[in-house]
Amino acid sequence: TLSRHAPSPRPLEIVEEAGLKTLLASGLHLIAGGGGGIPVFRTEGGYEGVDAVVDKDLTSCLLAKRIKSDLFVISTAVSNVAIHFGTPEQENISRMTVAEAMACVEAGYFAPGSMLPKVLAAVDFVRATGKEAIITSPENVFVIIITVLFEARSGRFYEEKKRQGIAEMGLIRYDKPKQINNFL
């Protein structure tokens, strides 16, 4: 079997950014960045494609930062981030700080091409904005967003951050979503 390797450059800009901002300004909600987009570079004659693969998580993070998103959500196949994934020692993580996430990255707990780019994108977003990032499965997205909005409005989450003296808290992972009836 032949295999082919392609470079994976870090995305530097979103070509369609102006159009996406126009859609946002008109009141639409965006779901964008899936697949990472088509890698291109600018030439005098326009854009040319590049034989590469753009990471979808880093692309989504860049877009979220550029449009000044209040929340960054990465939807994936699992309900939450875990260390020792797929082993008897698997430990599901509900919340972690940027420092805790980076300690797990340095320990090699997240697989490259799987959870590692998601965690790194979430860390990048939190560091750049001071806002929160969520990594969860599609079926949990709605309930978790409602939970985050409720905590933000009630001030509970931010008061807890201040009490703990944590400046970079915000990477949120949930094992099981809370009942939505508690928040509506």
Side-chain angles (χ1 to χ4, degrees), residues 81-147:
V81 173
I83 58 174
H84 308 295
F85 182 75
T87 70
E89 293 82 31
Q90 179 171 323
E91 183 182 334
N92 294 335
I93 301 172
S94 296
R95 291 179 186 225
M96 63 178 20
T97 65
V98 167
E100 290 166 340
M102 291 311 296
C104 289
V105 166
E106 290 168 17
Y109 289 142
F110 306 126
S114 182
M115 191 55 71
L116 179 61
K118 291 167 182 33
V119 170
L120 291 176
V123 164
D124 184 12
F125 179 80
V126 172
R127 281 182 171 161
T129 66
K131 297 178 181 173
E132 298 177 5
I134 296 171
I135 301 172
T136 193
S137 59
E139 59 271 11
N140 289 337
V141 167
F142 177 73
V143 172
I144 292 172
I145 289 173
I146 295 299
T147 302

Side-chain angles (χ1 to χ4, degrees), residues 18-122:
L20 294 171
K21 285 181 175 178
T22 299
L23 291 171
L24 276 175
S26 72
L28 296 175
H29 297 277
L30 293 181
I31 298 175
I38 300 169
V40 296
F41 68 96
R42 195 173 307 188
T43 67
E44 289 179 15
Y47 290 100
E48 278 191 39
V50 179
D51 193 13
V53 176
V54 178
D55 182 82
K56 63 187 172 295
D57 301 310
L58 294 177
T59 298
S60 297
C61 176
L62 176 61
L63 178 59
K65 291 186 304 185
R66 299 286 300 175
I67 65 172
K68 298 179 179 16
S69 180
D70 291 326
L71 179 67
F72 179 45
V73 178
I74 298 175
S75 180
T76 189
V78 295
S79 63
N80 61 296
V81 173
I83 58 174
H84 308 295
F85 182 75
T87 70
E89 293 82 31
Q90 179 171 323
E91 183 182 334
N92 294 335
I93 301 172
S94 296
R95 291 179 186 225
M96 63 178 20
T97 65
V98 167
E100 290 166 340
M102 291 311 296
C104 289
V105 166
E106 290 168 17
Y109 289 142
F110 306 126
S114 182
M115 191 55 71
L116 179 61
K118 291 167 182 33
V119 170
L120 291 176

